[in-house]
């Protein structure tokens, strides 16, 4: 069972890495990063459940990580929307010269 979750995590990580490196849209890069973080969380939860299935420590840690990730993505999308509204730019190459 652990191997299946680790394979799922590896697949998510590979798809997220491809998405983050191959796309130029800010939103698509953020989605790729989100997939990679989800892969790490799936792997961590699977290993934690495999090591100590009686204790809920791992589940609580994964929930806290998911909450932090949701806040981080909301902030990232807010910045992407602000950049788009201010400069009408939605690709990473055009937004590279942002200052203050």
């Amino acid at each position: 069972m652990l191997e299946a979750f680790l394979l799922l995590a590896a697949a998510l990580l590979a798809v997220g890495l491809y998405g983050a490196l191959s796309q130029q849209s800010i939103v698509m890069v953020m989605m790729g990063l989100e997939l990679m973080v989800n892969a790490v969380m799936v792997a961590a939860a699977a290993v934690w459940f495999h090591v100590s299935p009686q204790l809920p420590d791992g589940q609580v840690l994964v929930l806290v990580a998911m909450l932090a990730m949701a806040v981080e993505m909301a902030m990232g999308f807010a910045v992407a929307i602000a950049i788009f509204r201010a400069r009408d730019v939605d690709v990473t190459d055009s937004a590279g010269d942002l200052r203050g």
Side-chain angles (χ1 to χ4, degrees), residues 28-99:
M28 294 305 289
V29 170
M30 289 175 54
M31 295 298 285
L33 294 174
E34 184 80 15
L35 275 177
M36 288 192 289
V37 172
N38 278 329
V40 171
M41 287 190 346
V42 165
V47 168
W48 208 305
F49 184 75
H50 182 73
V51 171
S52 63
Q54 307 88 350
L55 300 175
D57 296 350
Q59 297 168 0
V60 172
L61 182 65
V62 167
L63 285 176
V64 169
M66 287 176 69
L67 178 67
M69 191 173 65
V71 171
E72 170 254 332
M73 289 305 291
M75 295 295 291
F77 281 119
V79 169
I81 289 172
I83 291 171
F84 182 76
R85 286 185 179 171
R87 303 179 71 199
D88 201 22
V89 169
D90 65 345
V91 294
T92 56
D93 291 340
S94 298
D97 60 342
L98 294 176
R99 302 240 188 250

